[in-house]
Amino acid sequence: MPATPVPTPDAILLGDAFNMRHPLTGGGMTVALSDIVLLRDVLRPLTDLNDAPTLCEYLESFYTLRKPVSSTINTLTGALYKVFCASPDPARQEIREACFDYLSLGGICSYGPMSLLSGLNPRPVHLFLHFFAVAVFGVGRLMITFPTPKGIWLGTRLILGASGIIFPIIKGKGVRQMFFPATIPAYYKAPPLQMKNQEQADEFQSYSF
């Protein structure tokens, strides 16, 4: 369920309550804890949490800033679910086996996907690269001995199947919000000008004239 922010005074949803994901990877708690830390940092400049209009403005920044972590984990979870769910399609079976063999290579092939899944690497572009690295690795397995028409056809279906899995998920999350959050105005939010500071500024101006 892609998250659709609905700023509501006196209420906020975090983790799975706000953005449900498949429980396959248990990523809901990771996202919830990340949301809590991010929300703390976003609301730190505020001194009055009873100011609902200002609070809602800052929550808009929160919804934008959470996208890299939540979208990375959500997309990976959704993609893994579709890869590993039962299917008679031979191409789906090939990508499942390629995924297991890719993780078995160790090193970055193992650490990379695990860091994405655990929220240690909240970079959607790395998820995209690893996902298609698995697909290319699967095609390579089919061609490693001798390319046959059947192997070429199966490899083509594997790439198309991988694209059909991840691109709709990314589209649902929002390409701009997921890969280019810094281009969204809500990404930047300056601390509010406190009344005390405003009074000091007015007093300084009165003395200067």
Side-chain angles (χ1 to χ4, degrees):
M1 292 174 57
T4 303
V6 182
T8 304
D10 301 326
I12 182 171
L13 299 177
L14 304 175
D16 270 339
F18 173 61
N19 185 194
M20 184 182 292
R21 62 200 52 76
H22 195 277
L24 174 70
T25 61
M29 184 58 71
T30 303
V31 175
L33 294 173
S34 174
D35 282 351
I36 291 170
V37 173
L38 181 59
L39 186 64
R40 176 202 63 186
D41 295 338
V42 168
L43 299 183
R44 193 186 299 275
L46 298 179
T47 58
D48 183 11
L49 296 181
N50 292 318
D51 185 357
T54 303
L55 186 60
C56 285
E57 290 179 7
Y58 272 76
L59 290 181
E60 291 182 11
S61 296
F62 163 72
Y63 291 132
T64 301
L65 292 169
R66 75 184 294 272
K67 272 290 183 179
V69 174
S70 63
S71 295
T72 298
I73 293 178
N74 294 354
T75 302
L76 181 56
T77 301
L80 287 176
Y81 168 69
K82 290 189 175 182
V83 166
F84 290 110
C85 67
S87 173
D89 187 355
R92 189 68 62 86
Q93 178 64 28
E94 284 293 333
I95 198 171
R96 277 198 294 268
E97 294 179 2
C99 186
F100 283 123
D101 290 345
Y102 183 82
L103 293 172
S104 299
L105 293 175
I108 189 63
C109 297
S110 176
Y111 171 79
M114 292 303 103
S115 63
L116 290 166
L117 194 59
S118 63
L120 296 176
N121 180 9
R123 295 178 177 85
V125 67
H126 288 183
L127 165 62
F128 185 83
L129 293 175
H130 277 290
F131 188 82
F132 277 98
V134 171
V136 172
F137 177 74
V139 174
R141 291 170 68 252
L142 294 171
M143 306 297 175
I144 194 65
T145 53
F146 181 77
T148 62
K150 181 180 179 181
I152 294 174
W153 171 242
L154 191 56
T156 302
R157 289 185 57 199
L158 192 154
I159 294 293
L160 292 176
S163 301
I165 288 174
I166 196 168
F167 283 124
I169 298 175
I170 292 177
K171 182 180 179 181
K173 303 295 180 186
V175 175
R176 184 184 178 192
Q177 293 88 340
M178 192 170 172
F179 291 95
F180 311 104
T183 64
I184 300 175
Y187 186 86
Y188 308 95
K189 191 68 179 176
L193 185 63
Q194 304 299 332
M195 184 62 68
K196 181 178 180 180
N197 295 337
Q198 181 65 52
E199 292 175 352
Q200 292 176 349
D202 293 342
E203 184 179 358
F204 176 79
Q205 289 180 358
S206 66
Y207 283 141
S208 63
F209 289 102

